PDB file of all heavy atoms in Angstrom:
ATOM      1  N   ARG A1419      93.033  82.277 102.297  1.00 92.00           N
ATOM      2  CA  ARG A1419      92.430  81.378 101.298  1.00 92.00           C
ATOM      3  C   ARG A1419      91.022  80.933 101.689  1.00 92.00           C
ATOM      4  O   ARG A1419      90.257  80.487 100.823  1.00 92.00           O
ATOM      5  CB  ARG A1419      93.315  80.152 101.085  1.00 92.00           C
ATOM      6  CG  ARG A1419      94.604  80.458 100.343  1.00 92.00           C
ATOM      7  CD  ARG A1419      95.223  79.235  99.746  1.00 92.00           C
ATOM      8  NE  ARG A1419      96.458  79.523  99.059  1.00 92.00           N
ATOM      9  CZ  ARG A1419      97.052  78.700  98.217  1.00 92.00           C
ATOM     10  NH1 ARG A1419      96.519  77.522  97.969  1.00 92.00           N
ATOM     11  NH2 ARG A1419      98.177  79.035  97.630  1.00 92.00           N
ATOM     12  N   GLN A1446      92.069  81.053  88.812  1.00 65.00           N
ATOM     13  CA  GLN A1446      92.119  81.037  90.264  1.00 65.00           C
ATOM     14  C   GLN A1446      90.765  81.424  90.856  1.00 65.00           C
ATOM     15  O   GLN A1446      90.069  82.289  90.323  1.00 65.00           O
ATOM     16  CB  GLN A1446      93.168  82.034  90.770  1.00 65.00           C
ATOM     17  CG  GLN A1446      94.593  81.679  90.414  1.00 65.00           C
ATOM     18  CD  GLN A1446      95.546  82.814  90.758  1.00 65.00           C
ATOM     19  OE1 GLN A1446      95.133  83.921  91.070  1.00 65.00           O
ATOM     20  NE2 GLN A1446      96.828  82.532  90.698  1.00 65.00           N
ATOM     21  N   LYS A1577     106.555  91.396  93.123  1.00 62.00           N
ATOM     22  CA  LYS A1577     107.194  90.133  92.727  1.00 62.00           C
ATOM     23  C   LYS A1577     107.573  90.150  91.254  1.00 62.00           C
ATOM     24  O   LYS A1577     108.649  89.702  90.871  1.00 62.00           O
ATOM     25  CB  LYS A1577     106.269  88.945  93.010  1.00 62.00           C
ATOM     26  CG  LYS A1577     106.942  87.605  92.673  1.00 62.00           C
ATOM     27  CD  LYS A1577     106.019  86.437  92.876  1.00 62.00           C
ATOM     28  CE  LYS A1577     106.759  85.124  92.641  1.00 62.00           C
ATOM     29  NZ  LYS A1577     107.323  85.019  91.277  1.00 62.00           N
ATOM     30  N   LEU A1651     105.928  84.488 107.967  1.00 97.00           N
ATOM     31  CA  LEU A1651     104.662  84.839 107.334  1.00 97.00           C
ATOM     32  C   LEU A1651     104.022  86.028 108.044  1.00 97.00           C
ATOM     33  O   LEU A1651     104.083  86.141 109.269  1.00 97.00           O
ATOM     34  CB  LEU A1651     103.701  83.655 107.352  1.00 97.00           C
ATOM     35  CG  LEU A1651     103.932  82.554 106.317  1.00 97.00           C
ATOM     36  CD1 LEU A1651     102.836  81.501 106.439  1.00 97.00           C
ATOM     37  CD2 LEU A1651     103.951  83.117 104.909  1.00 97.00           C
ATOM     38  N   THR A1669      98.332  85.795 106.072  1.00 95.00           N
ATOM     39  CA  THR A1669      98.549  86.030 104.648  1.00 95.00           C
ATOM     40  C   THR A1669      99.487  84.980 104.069  1.00 95.00           C
ATOM     41  O   THR A1669     100.000  84.106 104.782  1.00 95.00           O
ATOM     42  CB  THR A1669      99.148  87.425 104.405  1.00 95.00           C
ATOM     43  OG1 THR A1669     100.546  87.408 104.763  1.00 95.00           O
ATOM     44  CG2 THR A1669      98.431  88.488 105.234  1.00 95.00           C
ATOM     45  N   GLU A1670      99.740  85.090 102.784  1.00 92.00           N
ATOM     46  CA  GLU A1670     100.717  84.223 102.118  1.00 92.00           C
ATOM     47  C   GLU A1670     101.968  85.024 101.758  1.00 92.00           C
ATOM     48  O   GLU A1670     102.746  84.629 100.894  1.00 92.00           O
ATOM     49  CB  GLU A1670     100.078  83.598 100.877  1.00 92.00           C
ATOM     50  CG  GLU A1670      98.930  82.660 101.245  1.00 92.00           C
ATOM     51  CD  GLU A1670      98.104  82.225 100.051  1.00 92.00           C
ATOM     52  OE1 GLU A1670      98.231  82.851  98.978  1.00 92.00           O
ATOM     53  OE2 GLU A1670      97.331  81.266 100.182  1.00 92.00           O
ATOM     54  N   ASP A1671     102.150  86.151 102.453  1.00 93.00           N
ATOM     55  CA  ASP A1671     103.289  87.028 102.200  1.00 93.00           C
ATOM     56  C   ASP A1671     104.365  86.836 103.263  1.00 93.00           C
ATOM     57  O   ASP A1671     104.055  86.612 104.437  1.00 93.00           O
ATOM     58  CB  ASP A1671     102.849  88.496 102.219  1.00 93.00           C
ATOM     59  CG  ASP A1671     101.841  88.807 101.138  1.00 93.00           C
ATOM     60  OD1 ASP A1671     101.981  88.244 100.032  1.00 93.00           O
ATOM     61  OD2 ASP A1671     100.907  89.594 101.393  1.00 93.00           O
ATOM     62  N   GLU A1672     105.613  86.958 102.843  1.00 95.00           N
ATOM     63  CA  GLU A1672     106.737  86.888 103.774  1.00 95.00           C
ATOM     64  C   GLU A1672     107.222  88.293 104.108  1.00 95.00           C
ATOM     65  O   GLU A1672     107.260  89.170 103.249  1.00 95.00           O
ATOM     66  CB  GLU A1672     107.886  86.080 103.160  1.00 95.00           C
ATOM     67  CG  GLU A1672     107.565  84.615 102.964  1.00 95.00           C
ATOM     68  CD  GLU A1672     108.765  83.829 102.467  1.00 95.00           C
ATOM     69  OE1 GLU A1672     109.738  84.445 101.984  1.00 95.00           O
ATOM     70  OE2 GLU A1672     108.738  82.592 102.569  1.00 95.00           O
ATOM     71  N   GLY A1694     107.779  89.432  99.613  1.00 81.00           N
ATOM     72  CA  GLY A1694     107.118  88.764  98.495  1.00 81.00           C
ATOM     73  C   GLY A1694     106.250  87.612  98.949  1.00 81.00           C
ATOM     74  O   GLY A1694     106.029  87.393 100.148  1.00 81.00           O
ATOM     75  N   ARG A1695     105.745  86.871  97.988  1.00 79.00           N
ATOM     76  CA  ARG A1695     104.849  85.758  98.276  1.00 79.00           C
ATOM     77  C   ARG A1695     105.622  84.574  98.834  1.00 79.00           C
ATOM     78  O   ARG A1695     106.784  84.339  98.488  1.00 79.00           O
ATOM     79  CB  ARG A1695     104.135  85.303  96.993  1.00 79.00           C
ATOM     80  CG  ARG A1695     103.439  86.426  96.255  1.00 79.00           C
ATOM     81  CD  ARG A1695     102.267  86.952  97.010  1.00 79.00           C
ATOM     82  NE  ARG A1695     101.191  85.983  97.058  1.00 79.00           N
ATOM     83  CZ  ARG A1695     100.176  86.052  97.905  1.00 79.00           C
ATOM     84  NH1 ARG A1695     100.112  87.006  98.793  1.00 79.00           N
ATOM     85  NH2 ARG A1695      99.221  85.153  97.874  1.00 79.00           N
ATOM     86  N   GLN A1696     104.963  83.814  99.694  1.00 77.00           N
ATOM     87  CA  GLN A1696     105.537  82.567 100.179  1.00 77.00           C
ATOM     88  C   GLN A1696     105.755  81.631  98.991  1.00 77.00           C
ATOM     89  O   GLN A1696     104.936  81.574  98.067  1.00 77.00           O
ATOM     90  CB  GLN A1696     104.589  81.911 101.181  1.00 77.00           C
ATOM     91  CG  GLN A1696     105.101  80.598 101.763  1.00 77.00           C
ATOM     92  CD  GLN A1696     104.044  79.899 102.599  1.00 77.00           C
ATOM     93  OE1 GLN A1696     102.858  80.078 102.372  1.00 77.00           O
ATOM     94  NE2 GLN A1696     104.480  79.108 103.554  1.00 77.00           N
ATOM     95  N   LYS A1697     106.844  80.912  98.984  1.00 70.00           N
ATOM     96  CA  LYS A1697     107.146  80.002  97.878  1.00 70.00           C
ATOM     97  C   LYS A1697     106.006  79.002  97.717  1.00 70.00           C
ATOM     98  O   LYS A1697     105.573  78.356  98.672  1.00 70.00           O
ATOM     99  CB  LYS A1697     108.466  79.263  98.157  1.00 70.00           C
ATOM    100  CG  LYS A1697     108.933  78.418  96.986  1.00 70.00           C
ATOM    101  CD  LYS A1697     110.297  77.801  97.259  1.00 70.00           C
ATOM    102  CE  LYS A1697     110.765  76.980  96.076  1.00 70.00           C
ATOM    103  NZ  LYS A1697     112.099  76.360  96.326  1.00 70.00           N
ATOM    104  N   GLY A1698     105.494  78.921  96.497  1.00 57.00           N
ATOM    105  CA  GLY A1698     104.410  77.994  96.211  1.00 57.00           C
ATOM    106  C   GLY A1698     103.039  78.603  96.329  1.00 57.00           C
ATOM    107  O   GLY A1698     102.046  77.993  95.945  1.00 57.00           O
ATOM    108  N   ALA A1699     102.956  79.854  96.853  1.00 51.00           N
ATOM    109  CA  ALA A1699     101.655  80.505  96.987  1.00 51.00           C
ATOM    110  C   ALA A1699     101.222  81.059  95.642  1.00 51.00           C
ATOM    111  O   ALA A1699     102.019  81.280  94.737  1.00 51.00           O
ATOM    112  CB  ALA A1699     101.722  81.633  98.017  1.00 51.00           C
ATOM    113  N   GLU A1700      99.923  81.299  95.500  1.00 48.00           N
ATOM    114  CA  GLU A1700      99.410  81.894  94.276  1.00 48.00           C
ATOM    115  C   GLU A1700      99.971  83.294  94.114  1.00 48.00           C
ATOM    116  O   GLU A1700     100.131  84.026  95.074  1.00 48.00           O
ATOM    117  CB  GLU A1700      97.879  82.007  94.339  1.00 48.00           C
ATOM    118  CG  GLU A1700      97.153  80.694  94.384  1.00 48.00           C
ATOM    119  CD  GLU A1700      95.673  80.930  94.587  1.00 48.00           C
ATOM    120  OE1 GLU A1700      95.270  81.125  95.740  1.00 48.00           O
ATOM    121  OE2 GLU A1700      94.934  80.937  93.592  1.00 48.00           O
ATOM    122  N   ILE A1701     100.229  83.687  92.876  1.00 39.00           N
ATOM    123  CA  ILE A1701     100.579  85.073  92.597  1.00 39.00           C
ATOM    124  C   ILE A1701      99.279  85.854  92.554  1.00 39.00           C
ATOM    125  O   ILE A1701      98.430  85.626  91.715  1.00 39.00           O
ATOM    126  CB  ILE A1701     101.308  85.197  91.241  1.00 39.00           C
ATOM    127  CG1 ILE A1701     102.603  84.395  91.272  1.00 39.00           C
ATOM    128  CG2 ILE A1701     101.592  86.647  90.897  1.00 39.00           C
ATOM    129  CD1 ILE A1701     103.307  84.338  89.920  1.00 39.00           C
ATOM    130  N   ARG A1702      99.112  86.803  93.469  1.00 42.00           N
ATOM    131  CA  ARG A1702      97.841  87.501  93.472  1.00 42.00           C
ATOM    132  C   ARG A1702      97.959  88.948  93.927  1.00 42.00           C
ATOM    133  O   ARG A1702      97.044  89.511  94.528  1.00 42.00           O
ATOM    134  CB  ARG A1702      96.811  86.758  94.326  1.00 42.00           C
ATOM    135  CG  ARG A1702      97.021  86.847  95.809  1.00 42.00           C
ATOM    136  CD  ARG A1702      95.979  86.058  96.580  1.00 42.00           C
ATOM    137  NE  ARG A1702      94.919  86.845  97.132  1.00 42.00           N
ATOM    138  CZ  ARG A1702      95.041  87.687  98.136  1.00 42.00           C
ATOM    139  NH1 ARG A1702      96.195  87.936  98.676  1.00 42.00           N
ATOM    140  NH2 ARG A1702      93.997  88.327  98.595  1.00 42.00           N
TER     141      ARG A1702
END
Side-chain angles (χ1 to χ4, degrees):
R1419 289 199 181 195
Q1446 294 171 349
K1577 183 183 185 301
L1651 282 183
T1669 76
E1670 295 169 345
D1671 298 323
E1672 293 185 344
R1695 307 292 291 164
Q1696 180 188 27
K1697 187 175 181 180
E1700 295 174 278
I1701 299 174
R1702 73 181 259 290

